[in-house]
Amino acid sequence: MSEPSSISDLIANWRTIAEFASDVGCGYEAARKMRDRESIAPEHWAKVISASEAKGIAGVTYEWLARRRVPGATGEAA
């Protein structure tokens, strides 16, 4: 698979948001919010990278995730 162009594009590689949530170890609502806000909180990055590798999704790295991090998405200062 080629490198995803966005967080929602990444999550679309799973059949459902629930499957993505299960693979990365978060709740359904957290996964839905990640998709909707186009940002994944850093505490999930290691599992997202591992799950992406397991699915054969290329290019999902800490750097890739950091470039898509939305400052203030979880209420912290930018």
Side-chain angles (χ1 to χ4, degrees), residues 1-17 19-20 23 51-52 55-58 60 64:
M1 290 182 202
S2 62
E3 182 178 307
S5 61
S6 65
I7 297 298
S8 57
D9 188 35
L10 168 64
I11 294 171
N13 284 284
W14 277 261
R15 286 187 327 130
T16 65
I17 294 174
E19 285 183 11
F20 171 79
D23 283 357
S52 297
K55 287 190 74 66
I57 303 167
V60 180
W64 185 90

Side-chain angles (χ1 to χ4, degrees), residues 30-76:
R32 188 186 64 76
K33 287 180 180 178
M34 290 176 197
R35 182 198 62 192
D36 291 349
R37 71 175 176 242
E38 292 290 340
S39 183
I40 296 175
E43 62 264 24
H44 299 292
W45 290 2
K47 288 186 177 181
V48 168
I49 292 165
S50 295
S52 297
E53 288 174 356
K55 287 190 74 66
I57 303 167
V60 180
T61 63
Y62 286 100
E63 293 80 15
W64 185 90
L65 290 163
R67 286 193 308 268
R68 284 148 185 87
R69 181 83 173 120
V70 177
T74 58
E76 71 245 7

